[in-house]
Amino acid sequence: MAKNLVIVESPAKAKTIEGFLGKDFLVKSSFGHVMDLSKKKLSVDIKDGFIPKYEISPDKKKIVSELKKYADAAKTVWLASDEDREGEAIAWHLVNALKLDEKKIKRIVFHEITKSAITKAIENPRGIDKNLVDAQQARRVLDRLVGYELSPLLWKKVKPALSAGRVQSVAVRLIAEREEDINKFKSKSSYKITAKFDINNDFGKSILVAELSKKFNTKNEAIEFLEKCKPAEFTIADIETKPAKKSPAPPFTTSTLQQEASRKLGFSVANTMRVAQQLYESGKITYMRTDSVNLSNLALAMANKEIKNSFGEKYAKTRKYSTKTKGAQEAHEAIRPTYFNVKNIEGDNAQKRLYNLIWKRTIASQMSDALLEKTNVTVNISNLKEKFIAKGEVIKFDGFLKVYFEISNQENQEEQKGVLPPLKVGEKLLRNEIIAEEKFTQQPPRYSEANLVKKMEELGIGRPSTYAPTISTIQRREYIVKEDKSGIQRNYNFISLKNDSITEEIKTEKSGFEKAKLFPTDIGILVNKFLLQYFDNILDYNFTASVEKEFDEIAEGQKIWNEMIGEFYGPFHNKIENTLEKSKKFSGEKLLGQEPKTGKNIFVKIGRFGPIVQLGDTDDDDKPKFAGLKKGQSIETITLEEALELFKFPRNIGKYEDTDMTVAIGRFGPYVMHNKLFYSLAKTDDPTTITQDRAVELIEEKRKKAKENIIKEYKEDNSVKVLRGKYGHYLSIKKKNFKIPKEMNPEELTLEDCLKIAEDPKNTPKKRFSKKRK
DNA sequence: CAGTGAGCGAGCTTCCGCTTGACTT
């Protein structure tokens, strides 16, 4: 057995490091945290100084016992978890979980996986930094208290199974507020003037395009301007040329990788992380969960060599970047290729594309500036004081642009600068055409997943390891949805002056098209309203930043962690108690109007199963009627007419095989019910207009499909069937499903076989987490 | 999945941050 056991967090890291160290060292990984608070209970002793009660995480029991075996046999245990708050806590938990003798342990840290960094770390061990551990405990306990006291309050006051937390609730707030901004937004229009001039000078013929420095608010002003241009003379008043430069962006962090992969490759945040993980595990890139833009000296040297080889000496420029992100912990390097001379890799398409993006971005970050020449040409109008301006841009030296071009975030970047024709000051220009185009101001854009990550990082909310999971949590809770929105056709005025006549046209454009953007749901909006009303401090965009400051003070030994938690918890818990006692159920109920026939009130609100409309008051003699909202409808925007429509279900649409068919809208969308069986409508079917014939078609379709999935039936007992499902073959007996053992051939099962399978408890399906609510 | 919504009451849900596989009805 090896004399030395080194424990790191990630198995891929363990493998690499083992190669650097001699055979006296055994390197194992803890797979992240090994101890945590129990999921089932609060596990914080509030009365006695907020002492947390840790347990070995259920899924880590095996790893812990394995590590303990190695640790007991080793002379020295080197705790090499990451150099940040969480890493320090992992080291401390390992001491407790493995019951390590303090004399036997050494804590080492390194933030790059290079041989020299590891060797240096081994030469400079230290003890566990208890202050840093305490900062982590404060973070952990705060999050637990907030999450586990707010969530149950929501269950009581809003809806069961909801959740709230320091990070997720702020993410939802961002999306809800953006939607509010969009609803409030009123588009304004103005007129942009562009001129095309014919050039005919010593250098030949060409065209100069220039834009007026001023925009007009009304059509009349624009026409008035064009009228004045009719007799005017146009002269070049000034040509200004100045050098400019562009510098490359720093190498990727988790957040910037997610943003660029979204923009350039169309990857979702989760997809980016999955593919990056694969690249990391196969040794092609460094660690993918990082907030650091730092590159190791080894990496800098490799990049420099690669650039000189591929592009030449003058393209290389070694750069050190430093982070500007709030609360960055920088335990790792930036995300970079492991070997810079590998430009392309083996792998699937997604891996190749993501690797290529990382390679280019990292290489570009070590390349020279691009040198540009920017030119501004001013054109005078003889009878007006406004000026036309033409802008040109020429690349004198491409530098890093040779490999990498960062797409900016702005959506409409129609302005493209190019090369201007050769011109002279004083030169007279011939007016070819001047146009006035009506332009509308754009509504604020909805967040994409990657833009949300960017914003969260700016606010210091969440960490590289949690961006993707947080986004899926708030989608799973149905606070937000990712959807496309088709744009709307819009008319705009287009006025043109050519020769001596002005013509007016109405053109159409499509605007507001959005793909894979985040929309708040009714429940998301409601929960956000509730939290803002009662817990505005937690939802404050600066909340995390201010507690982070206190965590830092704890880490530096200037503050006691449980005192800090106490100061927070007192007022917070009071608010919980108060709200529990005083506030009524928070359903977001809104009176829409009255039903024309009966005069009964119609409300919209959130019911136990989501948004509903209600006909009649709750305390009326007869029970009120309820109906769920259709997909795409929302509490915020539904009208009285739409609500009345919803009460028309269930609708009878005729008979089939002598039984009534009815159309209704359920939790999973509109459906036809026939003979107590359900048939979902297709997305293209409209439940308000669906015909009898179409409903029959749906019924027949589903029957045919069900038949195709039957592999075996038994005459003796028709409740037993062997079926083909999403995950392969399975057995169905009286609506209960069973797994068919792998060694058995589903095609050849006899009825006896089937019954035997059903009796064996190991074939009964495990209870999966289901969203079922009674 | 399951096509409800009142009210009663049992029993369930939930946080953030570290890490990877396991394995689905």
Side-chain angles (χ1 to χ4, degrees), chain A residues 195-209:
Chain A
K196 263 191 226 164
F197 299 109
D198 287 329
I199 313 283
N200 193 356
N201 57 20
D202 303 348
F203 304 100
K205 285 185 182 181
S206 53
I207 281 177
L208 179 72
V209 180

Side-chain angles (χ1 to χ4, degrees), chain A residues 340-534:
Chain A
F340 287 78
N341 55 355
V342 181
K343 271 186 209 171
N344 297 298
I345 54 153
E346 298 287 308
D348 64 30
N349 218 5
Q351 292 173 358
K352 283 179 182 167
R353 294 173 74 200
L354 192 70
Y355 179 82
N356 197 251
L357 191 69
I358 294 168
W359 187 88
K360 284 181 170 171
R361 171 83 164 219
T362 320
I363 283 284
S365 79
Q366 297 305 317
M367 289 176 74
S368 2
D369 290 336
L371 301 177
L372 313 169
E373 191 179 82
K374 286 189 172 174
T375 307
N376 276 358
V377 175
T378 313
V379 178
N380 267 357
I381 311 171
S382 58
N383 56 348
L384 287 167
K385 62 176 191 307
E386 283 91 9
K387 316 267 184 215
F388 278 107
I389 309 280
K391 286 183 178 172
E393 195 176 280
V394 182
I395 296 176
K396 291 283 179 184
F397 174 65
D398 53 359
F400 78 93
L401 291 178
K402 205 174 189 77
V403 296
Y404 195 84
F405 211 80
E406 197 186 10
I407 306 173
S408 100
N409 226 345
Q410 265 118 41
E411 276 180 24
N412 56 335
Q413 256 216 329
E414 43 189 306
E415 188 187 347
Q416 39 173 295
K417 293 172 226 164
V419 188
L420 292 178
L423 300 161
K424 277 192 307 230
V425 174
E427 188 174 337
K428 295 249 184 308
L429 300 172
L430 287 174
R431 162 168 68 80
N432 176 324
E433 186 180 21
I434 301 181
I435 53 173
E437 245 179 316
E438 187 178 17
K439 293 276 175 192
F440 295 89
T441 49
Q442 296 284 328
Q443 64 176 32
R446 292 188 175 84
Y447 285 103
S448 67
E449 289 185 349
N451 289 147
L452 182 64
V453 169
K454 185 180 182 199
K455 186 71 195 177
M456 287 169 67
E457 188 185 40
E458 276 166 25
L459 295 169
I461 294 164
R463 304 274 314 129
S465 66
T466 61
Y467 294 137
T470 302
I471 286 177
S472 56
T473 298
I474 57 181
Q475 289 185 62
R476 204 171 53 240
R477 300 262 175 274
E478 292 170 346
Y479 290 151
I480 67 164
V481 283
K482 185 163 91 175
E483 264 168 13
D484 300 344
K485 182 164 181 159
S486 53
I488 41 157
Q489 291 284 352
R490 177 161 67 185
N491 293 335
Y492 68 97
N493 289 311
F494 182 92
I495 311 155
S496 151
L497 164 67
K498 203 157 188 188
N499 300 324
D500 268 330
S501 62
I502 292 175
T503 48
E504 287 180 37
E505 255 181 277
I506 292 177
K507 293 194 173 188
T508 58
E509 64 179 355
K510 206 162 186 190
S511 93
F513 170 75
E514 293 189 289
K515 197 167 165 51
K517 292 297 184 69
L518 305 178
F519 295 74
T521 62
D522 281 321
I523 191 75
I525 292 169
L526 187 69
V527 167
N528 185 53
K529 257 187 210 159
F530 177 85
L531 292 174
L532 269 180
Q533 184 171 331
Y534 297 104

Side-chain angles (χ1 to χ4, degrees), chain A residues 46 75 158 178 181 190 200 247 300 310 346 431 536 605 634 677 734:
Chain A
I46 287 162
K75 220 177 115 202
V158 186
R178 178 58 55 89
D181 290 343
S190 63
N200 193 356
S247 302
L300 293 177
S310 295
E346 298 287 308
R431 162 168 68 80
D536 55 333
K605 63 177 186 183
S634 104
L677 289 170
K734 288 180 189 142

Side-chain angles (χ1 to χ4, degrees), chain A residues 213-227:
Chain A
S213 47
K214 186 185 163 179
K215 282 183 178 157
F216 297 104
N217 289 326
T218 65
K219 190 172 152 192
N220 283 343
E221 285 172 89
I223 291 176
E224 202 179 310
F225 173 81
L226 292 183
E227 285 291 350

Side-chain angles (χ1 to χ4, degrees), chain A residues 519-759:
Chain A
F519 295 74
T521 62
D522 281 321
I523 191 75
I525 292 169
L526 187 69
V527 167
N528 185 53
K529 257 187 210 159
F530 177 85
L531 292 174
L532 269 180
Q533 184 171 331
Y534 297 104
F535 298 91
D536 55 333
N537 61 327
I538 308 278
L539 277 255
D540 192 308
Y541 290 127
N542 291 315
F543 178 67
T544 289
S546 83
V547 291
E548 279 290 341
K549 220 178 122 203
E550 294 190 81
F551 297 153
D552 286 346
E553 286 165 23
I554 293 167
E556 276 152 33
Q558 294 156 6
K559 222 174 193 155
I560 312 288
W561 81 268
N562 32 11
E563 285 177 9
M564 178 235 152
I565 294 294
E567 280 163 31
F568 165 79
Y569 184 75
F572 171 72
H573 187 70
N574 275 342
K575 266 194 209 169
I576 295 269
E577 294 286 332
N578 272 332
T579 315
L580 206 52
E581 204 181 303
K582 285 182 191 143
S583 94
K584 281 197 298 212
K585 195 130 179 145
F586 204 80
S587 71
E589 185 175 282
K590 211 166 76 176
L591 181 66
L592 265 189
Q594 285 75 33
E595 196 201 25
K597 269 184 269 168
T598 57
K600 280 185 179 175
N601 284 332
I602 293 186
F603 304 94
V604 269
K605 63 177 186 183
I606 297 277
R608 270 201 296 164
F609 307 105
I612 49 170
V613 283
Q614 176 184 330
L615 174 63
D617 290 78
T618 320
D619 43 6
D620 277 357
D621 290 343
D622 27 330
K623 248 169 61 173
K625 264 177 82 179
F626 297 92
L629 264 59
K630 276 196 289 189
K631 205 169 178 266
Q633 290 183 326
S634 104
I635 290 196
E636 303 292 307
T637 56
I638 192 169
T639 62
L640 182 61
E641 288 70 35
E642 288 168 336
L644 288 168
E645 277 293 308
L646 293 173
F647 289 113
K648 290 183 183 159
F649 296 106
R651 268 174 69 226
N652 193 319
I653 55 163
K655 279 189 195 303
Y656 179 52
E657 294 168 345
D658 293 331
T659 320
D660 279 326
M661 292 186 291
T662 51
V663 180
I665 297 174
R667 189 146 100 76
F668 306 99
Y671 63 91
V672 175
M673 183 143 81
H674 176 252
N675 223 344
K676 288 187 185 161
L677 289 170
F678 298 94
Y679 303 90
S680 293
L681 264 60
K683 270 183 197 154
T684 44
D685 292 320
D686 184 342
T688 54
T689 58
I690 188 164
T691 60
Q692 187 174 3
D693 290 347
R694 172 67 183 143
V696 170
E697 210 178 296
L698 284 169
I699 293 171
E700 288 300 334
E701 243 173 58
K702 192 173 174 185
R703 284 182 184 170
K704 198 176 143 216
K705 245 195 197 150
K707 217 177 225 165
E708 280 168 3
N709 285 332
I710 299 175
I711 293 176
K712 248 179 129 64
E713 281 178 295
Y714 303 93
K715 283 194 195 95
E716 307 91 293
D717 186 348
N718 60 14
S719 69
V720 180
K721 286 187 180 77
V722 181
L723 300 169
R724 190 196 331 265
K726 212 160 116 191
Y727 309 109
H729 301 120
Y730 66 100
L731 181 63
S732 168
I733 301 179
K734 288 180 189 142
K735 293 202 168 168
K736 273 178 113 177
N737 296 331
F738 302 92
K739 202 156 67 182
I740 299 173
K742 275 184 189 131
E743 64 275 12
M744 293 172 113
N745 184 350
E747 316 265 349
E748 291 166 8
L749 292 175
T750 63
L751 185 58
E752 285 77 55
D753 291 335
C754 293
L755 296 174
K756 223 184 266 166
I757 289 172
E759 271 167 32

